[in-house]
Amino acid sequence: MATWDDVHRLAMAMPEAEERSPRDWRVKGKGFVSERPLRPADLAALGPSAPDGPIMGARVADLGVKEALLADDPAVYFTTPHFDGYASVLVRLDRIGVEELEELVVEAWLCKAPKRLAKAYLDAQGSMT
């Protein structure tokens, strides 16, 4: 399962990514993945099902993608009322595989990267296959 070292390695591999503060990765000043400990309101909303391991927040393309992830693997992906209406998911880091984490980090980066930078990245990836 994934660790914060995996998140760091994957996030920093993205063009122009920076770790603004510990466990908060950004591209051109816009956050794409970060540590997201549960707050008291989150714990109250989740009740006994609240996870106690490391939690990462990740941007997703839209609410449809968010809903699909939540439905597809609720053991890994979840949300709280704080994120209602926002295209972000919470991830139980100790339950996601590194390959799936990589896909999530890349997609989160693509959501926040400037269009030209994202296009250049995707073009370069296409030429590598």
Side-chain angles (χ1 to χ4, degrees):
M1 300 285 84
T3 66
W4 286 116
D5 288 339
D6 295 318
V7 178
H8 177 81
R9 176 180 50 80
L10 294 167
M12 293 305 296
M14 301 309 298
E16 299 190 36
E18 64 178 343
E19 189 172 6
R20 176 75 55 90
S21 60
R23 298 184 180 163
D24 179 26
W25 293 272
R26 297 173 178 259
V27 56
K28 297 288 190 178
K30 296 182 179 182
F32 62 100
V33 292
S34 63
E35 182 174 27
R36 179 48 169 82
L38 294 178
R39 297 177 176 135
D42 300 328
L43 293 169
L46 294 170
S49 67
D52 60 359
I55 298 168
M56 181 185 82
R59 294 296 188 154
V60 294
D62 56 44
L63 293 176
V65 171
K66 175 182 181 173
E67 293 304 321
L69 288 170
L70 295 172
D72 184 50
D73 199 347
V76 172
Y77 301 100
F78 70 105
T79 190
T80 65
H82 177 80
F83 291 99
D84 286 352
Y86 291 97
S88 295
V89 293
L90 297 174
V91 180
R92 292 173 178 93
L93 197 57
D94 57 358
R95 293 189 181 184
I96 190 170
V98 175
E99 284 184 27
E100 187 173 353
L101 175 66
E102 180 176 15
E103 183 177 327
L104 185 65
V105 169
V106 170
E107 291 299 321
W109 180 89
L110 287 167
C111 289
K112 300 312 273 182
K115 290 181 182 180
R116 287 184 185 177
L117 184 59
K119 182 180 182 328
Y121 172 80
L122 291 171
D123 289 348
Q125 296 304 305
S127 67
M128 297 177 138
T129 58

